[in-house]
Amino acid sequence: MEDRLRLRKYVLVWLLIVLHSCYFASCGNAADRAVDPKNSRVWGPGVEMPDRATLPARYFFIEPRDADNQKINESQKYDIHIIGQSRFGSCRYRLNQIDRHDGSSIVRYRLAESCSDVTIHVRHNEAHLTGSPFAIPGTLYSEQCYCPQGSVEEWLETVGCPAGDPQIDMDLIPFRAINFSSLRTRMIQQYDKPGSISHCNYVILRNQVHRRCYGQHTGFSKFMDTILLSLARKFTLPDMEMFVNLGDWPLVKKGGPSRTTGPYPIFSWCGSDDTFDIVMPTYDITESTLENMGRVMLDMLSVQRRGLPWADKHAKAFWRGRDARRERLELVALSRRYPELLNASLTNFFFFRDEESEFGPRVAHISMHEFFDYRYQVNVDGTVAAYRLPYLLAGSSVVLKQDSFYYEHFYRKLVPMRHYIPFEADLSNLVQQIEWARENDEKAREIRDNANAFINANLLPLDIYCYHALLFKEYAKYIVSPIQVQPGMEKIEQPEEAYHCPCERTTLPRDEL
């Protein structure tokens, strides 16, 4: 009995020692570890160069670290203030913090007007994090300000854009001497199919945007107008002429007339293996860039918001969408055969209305944030490439992507089994790939993390601006015909507030605009 009491006393003392050590050494759960302000990182264009990277919503990142310089995976709350002066007094802005699933945070802010003498204060528990307060030289212009600062080449270098891109290089190979004096009339005639094709002929001259559109459905020209005007507010666009396809399907087929006349230089939002179209970022990701913290509810920053922890997610694949392709109906059929592996339903019927009784009933739309309650996200083409892929890659689940001959501007840099799990175009091995992901949980999470890193290196708002700027710079080099505003073109005006800004450096004087 006495030995037993002695043993119990020994165990209690030992436990007290361990608990005491853990308390001071911060062992165990990351929530017990204190944030070290000196080791924690704050970086990104919103604090490093907000005066040069004039974005609709500027953004930066915070990564909390402890005294041992180890990353803390638990969300933290920060006290962030922007202090500066505007023509209305103190700098006015909206700001929000997006907590990501890995413990880091995105902070974004949108200015109500231009501000000067700006400092950005980033604190945790009243202590400034490394680099804070960030003193910003010069003026932070509102994105609506017409204050072009130098040439496109100067802007690309100033904000640190890549020097090149493999998709741009590939797209421009067929177009080394573009003569619109001989091409323009033929291109307009070739695509004069008002009921099925809509396109616009643009001319950018002395940083002004002009266009004439053809076809019945030209409403999507607003997306092209908006990005061109936004770029022109930041730097002087090269003089150029271009044709922009406003539809989903790429237009310039390989073979046929292209063999003898050469392909026509047409810009599209989606490319394919059997076409020559020059691919731009989709209108969807471009609008989410331009309307960040504006009217869009989903963008490449907000989609990274922390959701369910991996362990709490449903261990099955998920898909929702409309009936834009036969494989989407087959996906629903697979879901019914393997409900323990896949949850797939259609939200609308348009192309296959006569099959709704078999593949319905349709289900309600849900927020994409709710998609990530499932560990595995299925990406299947729609009429062309599914424009949701960037958002899926940015989320907290791993993506299974259908093999496809359609592509967006960034696909060439994606690597199967590094950034996503591939499956056959006919879905024949989709179930097998879902089972692989379930059996290889650690590898699946690694692929998810690689995809997140890819997004943050290639598809955030500044990256979308960089791609457009680089593409237009390279494309303009190959135009050999005179750049002239064509008969029937209308000028697309900058918003009126663009000219009520205290520009310190403007490429063109106001009376020349």
Side-chain angles (χ1 to χ4, degrees):
M1 183 70 178
E2 188 175 337
D3 290 340
R4 188 177 298 171
L5 289 172
R6 189 180 297 115
L7 178 61
R8 184 177 296 172
K9 182 184 288 187
Y10 172 81
V11 170
L12 286 173
V13 171
W14 180 82
L15 283 173
L16 285 171
I17 293 172
V18 170
L19 289 172
H20 186 269
S21 300
C22 279
Y23 178 82
F24 286 102
S26 297
C27 68
N29 196 303
D32 298 330
R33 291 151 52 197
V35 173
D36 187 304
K38 294 182 179 179
N39 287 335
S40 297
R41 297 177 59 213
V42 182
W43 79 100
V47 291
E48 294 173 348
M49 52 178 178
D51 54 325
R52 291 171 280 152
T54 303
L55 303 174
R58 293 164 168 92
Y59 57 93
F60 59 92
F61 308 92
I62 305 175
E63 182 181 82
R65 289 180 174 264
D66 63 16
D68 296 322
N69 205 26
Q70 297 299 307
K71 186 176 176 182
I72 297 175
N73 294 324
E74 298 298 316
S75 294
Q76 307 292 324
K77 292 300 179 185
Y78 304 97
D79 182 22
I80 302 166
H81 292 283
I82 299 173
I83 299 174
Q85 295 298 312
S86 75
R87 61 192 174 119
F88 299 104
S90 297
C91 188
R92 300 182 301 168
Y93 60 91
R94 288 188 296 116
L95 180 147
N96 78 317
Q97 176 184 330
I98 299 166
D99 294 327
R100 300 197 286 190
H101 65 84
D102 63 353
S104 65
S105 296
I106 302 172
V107 177
R108 57 182 178 170
Y109 58 96
R110 190 171 181 124
L111 300 178
E113 62 272 333
S114 299
C115 298
S116 58
D117 300 322
V118 172
T119 54
I120 301 175
H121 301 252
V122 184
R123 298 183 180 92
H124 181 272
N125 288 342
E126 300 185 357
H128 281 281
L129 301 190
T130 300
S132 176
F134 296 88
I136 312 301
T139 301
L140 298 193
Y141 296 118
S142 163
E143 199 280 325
Q144 292 294 301
C145 287
Y146 184 88
C147 297
Q149 300 180 14
S151 67
V152 60
E153 291 85 0
E154 292 170 323
W155 185 86
L156 285 164
E157 182 177 358
T158 298
V159 301
C161 293
D165 188 277
Q167 187 63 54
I168 293 175
D169 295 342
M170 183 66 65
D171 283 349
L172 296 181
I173 285 175
F175 308 110
R176 294 311 196 203
I178 305 171
N179 186 346
F180 282 110
S181 298
S182 61
L183 290 176
R184 187 182 306 108
T185 301
R186 283 188 285 153
M187 292 175 69
I188 293 171
Q189 292 174 347
Q190 171 76 23
Y191 300 108
D192 183 17
K193 301 174 182 177
S196 58
I197 295 177
S198 298
H199 64 282
C200 293
N201 180 199
Y202 282 86
V203 166
I204 291 84
L205 182 62
R206 296 176 68 247
N207 220 33
Q208 297 177 351
V209 179
H210 309 261
R211 65 159 163 80
R212 181 176 181 179
C213 294
Y214 302 85
Q216 292 181 2
H217 309 287
T218 59
F220 274 29
S221 61
K222 66 180 181 181
F223 297 113
M224 198 65 203
D225 296 350
T226 308
I227 186 61
L228 288 172
L229 292 175
S230 182
L231 291 169
R233 293 194 290 270
K234 294 164 181 53
F235 54 82
T236 303
L237 284 163
D239 291 345
M240 60 183 177
E241 182 172 356
M242 60 194 300
F243 280 79
V244 176
N245 169 26
L246 301 180
D248 283 333
W249 288 275
L251 293 178
V252 190
K253 292 289 186 180
K254 293 180 179 177
S258 295
R259 292 180 179 176
T260 55
T261 63
Y264 293 135
I266 292 183
F267 286 80
S268 290
W269 290 303
C270 179
S272 65
D273 294 341
D274 63 348
T275 57
F276 284 110
D277 295 50
I278 302 167
V279 180
M280 304 178 290
T282 67
Y283 61 82
D284 186 281
I285 197 171
T286 300
E287 184 185 36
S288 78
T289 294
L290 295 167
E291 290 296 330
N292 206 295
M293 292 187 75
R295 68 170 180 264
V296 300
M297 299 300 293
L298 182 71
D299 58 73
M300 296 306 296
L301 300 178
S302 66
V303 75
Q304 299 187 47
R305 182 173 289 113
R306 174 189 289 267
L308 287 178
W310 182 268
D312 296 339
K313 294 178 186 288
H314 301 291
K316 60 170 67 176
F318 184 85
W319 181 86
R320 289 289 186 274
R322 64 174 185 157
D323 64 332
R325 178 171 294 272
R326 167 61 64 180
E327 289 88 346
R328 293 186 168 193
L329 276 64
E330 295 169 0
L331 187 64
V332 172
L334 270 181
S335 178
R336 292 173 180 173
R337 288 170 57 193
Y338 301 96
E340 74 283 3
L341 296 177
L342 175 62
N343 179 343
S345 295
L346 290 157
T347 56
N348 197 14
F349 282 85
F350 179 81
F351 296 93
F352 299 95
R353 287 174 179 167
D354 58 334
E355 299 185 51
E356 183 172 357
S357 60
E358 180 179 356
F359 295 99
R362 68 185 71 187
V363 299
H365 291 271
I366 64 170
S367 163
M368 184 168 284
H369 292 291
E370 295 180 62
F371 283 27
F372 302 116
D373 290 350
Y374 293 77
R375 291 184 184 177
Y376 319 111
Q377 300 298 319
V378 178
N379 188 80
V380 177
D381 284 347
T383 51
V384 289
Y387 293 170
R388 72 179 70 184
L389 182 59
Y391 306 102
L392 295 182
L393 293 170
S396 58
S397 305
V398 66
V399 175
L400 294 99
K401 180 188 175 301
Q402 179 189 32
D403 288 342
S404 171
F405 66 92
Y406 290 115
Y407 55 83
E408 297 177 55
H409 78 279
F410 63 92
Y411 280 23
R412 191 172 293 276
K413 291 185 281 192
L414 289 174
V415 180
M417 297 307 294
R418 181 177 178 184
H419 301 118
Y420 65 91
I421 301 170
F423 61 91
E424 298 293 340
D426 63 2
L427 317 189
S428 58
N429 68 336
L430 175 58
V431 169
Q432 176 185 337
Q433 294 296 69
I434 297 171
E435 289 174 335
W436 180 91
R438 285 163 58 110
E439 294 166 3
N440 295 270
D441 191 68
E442 186 174 339
K443 179 62 177 177
R445 294 180 68 173
E446 180 184 330
I447 293 172
R448 185 272 313 271
D449 292 344
N450 290 340
N452 291 172
F454 176 89
I455 290 297
N456 288 312
N458 294 280
L459 293 179
L460 295 191
L462 182 57
D463 303 310
I464 301 303
Y465 274 107
C466 283
Y467 194 94
H468 280 101
L470 181 62
L471 174 59
F472 296 149
K473 176 183 82 78
E474 294 300 314
Y475 166 77
K477 292 178 182 177
Y478 301 117
I479 301 176
V480 297
S481 50
I483 306 300
Q484 298 173 337
V485 178
Q486 298 302 307
M489 286 188 166
E490 62 176 314
K491 181 181 176 184
I492 310 303
E493 299 286 356
Q494 292 282 358
E496 180 57 33
E497 61 267 30
Y499 302 112
H500 299 292
C501 299
C503 299
E504 297 174 0
R505 291 178 293 156
T506 304
T507 306
L508 299 176
R510 178 70 176 89
D511 59 6
E512 287 189 50
L513 299 177

